[in-house]
């Protein structure tokens, strides 16, 4: 579970987002970081019990850096106000695979899986596979349990207004082809985060339903593309 001290650190850095405060509170940061590493290790072990794509790896490598890349941003605050870790076959290389991702941010935490900002060739393969194998995709994303848990795919305000060139605009797959990202997620309240039983139950029940979704991208799409 996530410790209350970890949430306190994230709340504090949101107010004190500067290098002086960060370095003065380095021990607090290190403790929070270790908490996320421990949680990532636990989730990796539990998910690997039903998802053979997930195997033991150094959880430190799954954790995204807290330092922000401000080179091309108008926001020059040096640190993120969240922790993020990626549970996947290839750790943080998220652009050519479907992954599980844990986002910890007070009041805005979530657990998600799917494909986010994929490389263009992978996105092309996904759309082509959905177009020609729509029944396979629908059996996953329109499954009653899946819809009850996640609703629809997250649009993320980044959906095409028209069907991509080369595809029939009247195809039953049209709305799915407009997506640039393919992912689903559940929200995690602060109360759930700090409760060991609720935290585990919420995430692992979601991950079990997410597995066929990940498999579609990591196996079916890639097999179709290579075949």
């Amino acid at each position: 579970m996530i410790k209350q001290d970890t949430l306190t650190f994230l709340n504090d850095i949101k107010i004190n987002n500067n290098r002086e405060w960060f370095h003065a509170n380095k021990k607090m940061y290190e403790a929070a970081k270790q908490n996320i590493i421990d949680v990532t290790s636990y989730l990796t072990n539990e998910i690997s019990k039903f998802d053979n794509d997930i195997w033991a790896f150094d959880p430190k490598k799954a954790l995204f850096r807290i330092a922000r890349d401000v080179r091309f941003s108008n926001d020059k605050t040096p640190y993120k106000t969240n922790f993020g870790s990626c549970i996947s076959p290839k750790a943080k290389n998220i652009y050519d695979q479907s992954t599980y991702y844990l986002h910890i941010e007070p009041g805005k935490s979530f657990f998600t899986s799917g494909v986010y900002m994929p490389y263009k060739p992978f996105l092309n393969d996904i759309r082509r596979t959905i177009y020609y194998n729509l029944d396979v995709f629908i059996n996953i994303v329109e499954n009653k349990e899946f819809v009850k848990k996640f609703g629809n795919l997250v649009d993320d305000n980044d959906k095409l207004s028209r069907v991509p060139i080369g595809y029939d605009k009247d195809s039953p797959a049209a709305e799915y082809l407009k997506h640039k990202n393919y992912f689903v997620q559940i929200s995690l309240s602060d109360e759930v985060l700090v409760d060991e039983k609720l935290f585990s139950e919420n995430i692992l029940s979601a991950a079990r339903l997410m597995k066929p979704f990940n498999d579609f991208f990591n196996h079916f799409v890639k097999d179709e593309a290579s075949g």
Side-chain angles (χ1 to χ4, degrees), residues 44-152:
T44 298
N45 181 64
E46 292 301 306
I47 292 173
S48 70
K49 293 177 181 178
F50 55 83
D51 188 340
N52 292 331
D53 283 345
I54 304 301
W55 43 272
F57 60 88
D58 184 352
K60 294 178 184 177
K61 295 180 179 179
L63 190 66
F64 288 86
R65 296 175 62 217
I66 197 167
R68 296 181 62 249
D69 183 351
V70 300
R71 291 174 298 172
F72 309 107
S73 174
N74 291 326
D75 179 2
K76 298 301 180 182
T77 51
Y79 303 108
K80 299 173 186 174
T81 56
N82 68 274
F83 283 110
S85 63
C86 195
I87 301 169
S88 66
K90 293 184 285 186
K92 290 182 291 188
N93 183 17
I94 62 175
Y95 304 110
D96 66 349
Q97 63 173 327
S98 187
T99 70
Y100 303 97
Y101 171 76
L102 177 65
H103 181 97
I104 302 300
E105 182 176 6
K108 299 179 181 179
S109 300
F110 59 86
F111 181 67
T112 183
S113 83
V115 179
Y116 184 67
M117 295 179 65
Y119 292 132
K120 190 62 178 292
F122 187 33
L123 178 59
N124 290 339
D125 289 341
I126 290 170
R127 287 172 171 161
R128 189 180 308 111
T129 302
I130 291 174
Y131 185 78
Y132 289 109
N133 302 273
L134 181 60
D135 57 332
V136 177
F137 191 65
I138 282 179
N139 282 340
I140 297 170
V141 300
E142 296 185 15
N143 172 277
K144 287 184 179 180
E145 286 188 60
F146 192 90
V147 172
K148 182 179 179 180
K149 188 75 170 180
F150 308 117
N152 299 318

Side-chain angles (χ1 to χ4, degrees), residues 152-189:
N152 299 318
L153 299 183
V154 178
D155 284 348
D156 197 37
N157 298 317
D158 198 24
K159 192 176 176 183
L160 297 175
S161 58
R162 298 180 180 179
V163 175
I165 295 172
Y167 294 100
D168 179 5
K169 65 181 179 63
D170 296 319
S171 165
E175 288 306 308
Y176 289 123
L177 300 179
K178 293 178 183 178
H179 283 267
K180 295 181 183 179
N181 306 296
Y182 293 85
F183 64 99
V184 294
Q185 67 185 42
I186 58 166
S187 297
L188 299 167
S189 68

Side-chain angles (χ1 to χ4, degrees), residues 10-69:
L10 291 172
N11 277 321
D12 287 351
I13 200 171
K14 190 173 184 178
I15 300 169
N16 306 282
N17 202 326
N18 60 77
R19 290 181 176 83
E20 292 75 19
W21 183 91
F22 184 83
H23 288 294
N25 292 272
K26 194 72 177 289
K27 288 185 178 180
M28 190 178 182
Y29 161 67
E30 292 293 350
K33 178 182 176 181
Q34 188 60 51
N35 179 210
I36 303 299
I37 290 171
D38 291 343
V39 165
T40 301
S41 179
Y42 165 75
L43 292 177
T44 298
N45 181 64
E46 292 301 306
I47 292 173
S48 70
K49 293 177 181 178
F50 55 83
D51 188 340
N52 292 331
D53 283 345
I54 304 301
W55 43 272
F57 60 88
D58 184 352
K60 294 178 184 177
K61 295 180 179 179
L63 190 66
F64 288 86
R65 296 175 62 217
I66 197 167
R68 296 181 62 249
D69 183 351

